[in-house]
Amino acid sequence: MDSYTKLRNLLGEVFDLAATDALLDWDQQTMMPPGGAEGRARARALINRTAHDRFVSAEMEDLLEAARKEVAGRDPDSDEARIVRRVSIDFEKERRVPSEWVAHFFYAATLSQQAWEEAKPGSDFDKFKPHLEKMVGLRREYADFFAPYDHVYDPLVDDFEPGMKTRQISELFAQLRQRQVRLVRSILERGKAVNAAPLHRSYPVRKQEAFSLEVARALGYDLRCGRIDVAAHPFTNGLNPGDVRITTRYDPRYIGSALFSTIHESGHAMYDQGVPASIANIPTRLGQSLSPSFVSSMGVHESQSRLWENFVGRGRPFWVHYYPTLKKLFPSPLEGVGLETFYRAINKVKPSLIRTESDEATYNLHVMLRFDLETSLMTRSLEVSDLPEAWNAKMQEYLGLTPPDHAQGVLQDIHWSIGYIGYFPSYTLGNVMAGQLWERITEDVPDLSHQIERGEFGSLLSWLRRNVHAHGAKFDSGELILRSTGKPLTAEPYLRYLETKFGEIYKL
Ligand code: ZN
């Protein structure tokens, strides 16, 4: 057996351990009773430590070394050469982290997530505070494993967006902030031009389920290799290429919640499902753990989910096709509401408290707020006990709002509870990448909007399959975007998209 094959076999073992942990995570977020947290924390600590030890073993090091020599003469873009390259980068990073730390981190994160779930409904920040302090402390310790660095946040961002630096994110955010704040300001000056009240009526959950399922299937989410469940914070969990699960949440008084969450998560799931078998079953180091999917970055992941959710699901052509079905399903809340009114309602721009329910024009401001707070926590210019106050001050600064309670403020997202400090920029990077991909797709598939009006999503999905999914983690996000669009990552297409779309809706 050649060294490359032996390497793939060993990576397959690490992959299976990571997949086992993913199932424990899925279960924790959907089914597990609160009393299970302590036992689950021990199990996840053990599985993650075992996966880590196997990944950084002397055997892996030797096989990587031998495989590097074996693939040296091959096409540098071949699967073999690229896999060896990506795994080598992940290996060098993973081995900086002590095995004990990995076990300790997953133990603490599991309990912290449980504490967050219990603290959130009652807005009880004090109950969650010791856990958050623990997670922030662990992430500070983690960054130090990678010293020296230009910025203490760099090693954290790199967990989600391999190769990306804090400085690049700051520059990109500055460019976005200026144009988005100007856009939001001119929209708000137009006053109440859009009425979203019809979205907040009585929408029976059963029917919402049926509609969401129909849409997810039509877009291309393969439910033979997937399923949809309910969770407090919607997520996608790819256990292996044949089992990619999504979750959503239903609000009987708001049609947008489940619908757009389901489309968003279906976008993630289609990416995981689209990685070809020839490069699947390899773990990537994403989200500070070994993850059982061979994908480029969380930014690329979010580009897929945000593209389907917004560019497709909040677009007019999509509703030309689906609005008659929706109206038939919900005749009374949508009585007298025409397509155009509905389209404008789902795109209403209004500064809001909750990131996941915010409109496209203000969404990135929610991310920038979190980026500011995370970098301050990491540089120690902010401590956890002052976080709620800092959150509320930033909400005023960015969105002109003050949360009435912590559930709608600092406690709203799951990320910090599981130590995902460094993830949030991926959402905005995803938006920006989606803008750039979309511009290129509409050049390559000129009648795309007519296809979508007919409920046909096949050419869009196959474009994404060919240009994004097929490459798995062979390229980092910068290279992937360059290869798929012909241009380096730039915010221009996304800003143009926002200004055109909202310019038309609000007659700016
Ligand atoms: Zn997402």
Side-chain angles (χ1 to χ4, degrees), residues 457-484:
F457 305 99
S459 337
L460 172 57
L461 182 57
S462 54
W463 193 99
L464 294 170
R465 287 261 190 267
R466 268 196 321 278
N467 293 286
V468 180
H469 308 176
H471 301 305
K474 285 171 66 178
F475 310 117
D476 66 24
S477 58
E479 195 174 352
L480 185 69
I481 291 299
L482 181 63
R483 283 171 181 257
S484 55

Side-chain angles (χ1 to χ4, degrees), residues 183 187 347-349 359-361 497-508:
L183 174 67
I187 290 170
N347 286 296
K348 183 178 174 68
V349 174
D359 57 79
E360 288 177 88
Y497 156 80
L498 286 181
E499 286 162 357
T500 308
K501 177 172 181 175
F502 293 100
E504 190 247 354
I505 292 174
Y506 280 91
K507 303 190 174 56
L508 302 176

Side-chain angles (χ1 to χ4, degrees), residues 264-284:
H264 179 101
E265 301 304 334
S266 298
H268 280 303
M270 287 187 276
Y271 182 20
D272 277 335
Q273 289 184 334
V275 177
S278 59
I279 55 171
N281 296 330
I282 302 168
T284 38

Side-chain angles (χ1 to χ4, degrees), residues 264-265 268 301-302 305-306 423 427:
H264 179 101
E265 301 304 334
H268 280 303
H301 237 305
E302 293 300 341
S305 55
R306 302 282 296 167
Y423 188 125
Y427 289 111

Side-chain angles (χ1 to χ4, degrees), residues 6-262:
K6 286 185 196 155
L7 175 70
R8 283 292 305 257
N9 290 345
L10 185 56
L11 286 169
E13 287 180 23
V14 178
F15 179 92
D16 287 336
L17 286 165
T20 306
D21 182 62
L23 181 58
L24 294 178
D25 177 36
W26 175 85
D27 174 76
Q28 186 184 345
Q29 293 193 58
T30 51
M31 300 286 173
M32 190 187 81
E38 174 68 33
R40 184 59 46 91
R42 284 199 310 274
R44 294 198 64 190
L46 177 64
I47 294 272
N48 279 284
R49 193 218 309 245
T50 309
H52 165 88
D53 291 347
R54 207 94 187 82
F55 190 70
V56 300
S57 62
E59 190 187 359
M60 185 74 82
E61 187 174 16
D62 292 345
L63 285 176
L64 267 174
E65 176 70 45
R68 258 195 300 273
K69 285 184 191 137
E70 227 168 67
V71 303
R74 300 209 193 160
D75 172 2
D77 285 345
S78 65
D79 287 355
E80 293 80 3
R82 284 285 171 169
I83 286 168
V84 169
R85 188 162 173 257
R86 172 66 186 246
V87 174
S88 300
I89 293 169
D90 287 351
F91 175 83
E92 287 308 324
K93 203 168 171 196
E94 186 73 15
R95 76 156 154 193
R96 306 278 284 265
V97 186
S99 179
E100 274 309 312
W101 187 94
V102 173
H104 186 53
F105 176 82
F106 279 93
Y107 181 79
T110 306
L111 296 181
S112 169
Q113 183 186 332
Q114 185 63 39
W116 169 76
E117 259 177 53
E118 286 171 24
K120 189 182 166 188
S123 279
D124 190 350
F125 184 76
D126 286 342
K127 186 175 181 175
F128 177 52
K129 198 179 120 192
H131 292 276
L132 185 55
E133 278 169 341
K134 179 105 203 174
M135 297 321 292
V136 169
L138 281 164
R139 288 299 263 164
R140 284 171 178 168
E141 240 176 82
Y142 176 88
D144 284 342
F145 299 143
F146 300 91
Y149 34 66
D150 295 333
H151 194 293
V152 61
Y153 193 71
D154 283 352
L156 278 61
V157 173
D158 197 85
D159 278 354
F160 304 97
E161 213 53 43
M164 185 78 66
K165 298 276 185 255
T166 311
R167 182 182 40 78
Q168 290 167 275
I169 294 172
S170 299
E171 284 166 11
L172 182 76
F173 281 13
Q175 191 193 352
L176 288 167
R177 181 157 33 217
Q178 202 197 14
R179 296 254 296 266
Q180 286 198 240
V181 166
R182 193 166 57 199
L183 174 67
V184 172
R185 202 168 288 151
S186 53
I187 290 170
L188 296 180
E189 277 164 11
R190 304 283 307 171
K192 297 189 171 75
V194 170
N195 172 24
L199 307 179
H200 300 271
R201 290 177 180 159
S202 174
Y203 290 91
V205 167
R206 272 276 169 74
K207 290 183 179 179
Q208 288 196 43
E209 269 172 11
F211 185 69
S212 299
L213 184 68
E214 182 187 332
V215 169
R217 205 173 258 142
L219 299 179
Y221 175 31
D222 177 4
L223 279 140
R224 236 178 19 88
C225 299
R227 53 178 286 135
I228 307 178
D229 295 276
V230 173
H233 202 298
F235 65 95
T236 297
N237 206 329
L239 309 180
N240 64 62
D243 187 352
V244 181
R245 305 176 184 197
I246 70 169
T247 58
T248 191
R249 61 180 162 206
Y250 297 95
D251 181 343
R253 300 282 313 167
Y254 174 50
I255 181 70
S257 185
L259 178 59
F260 292 115
S261 291
T262 307

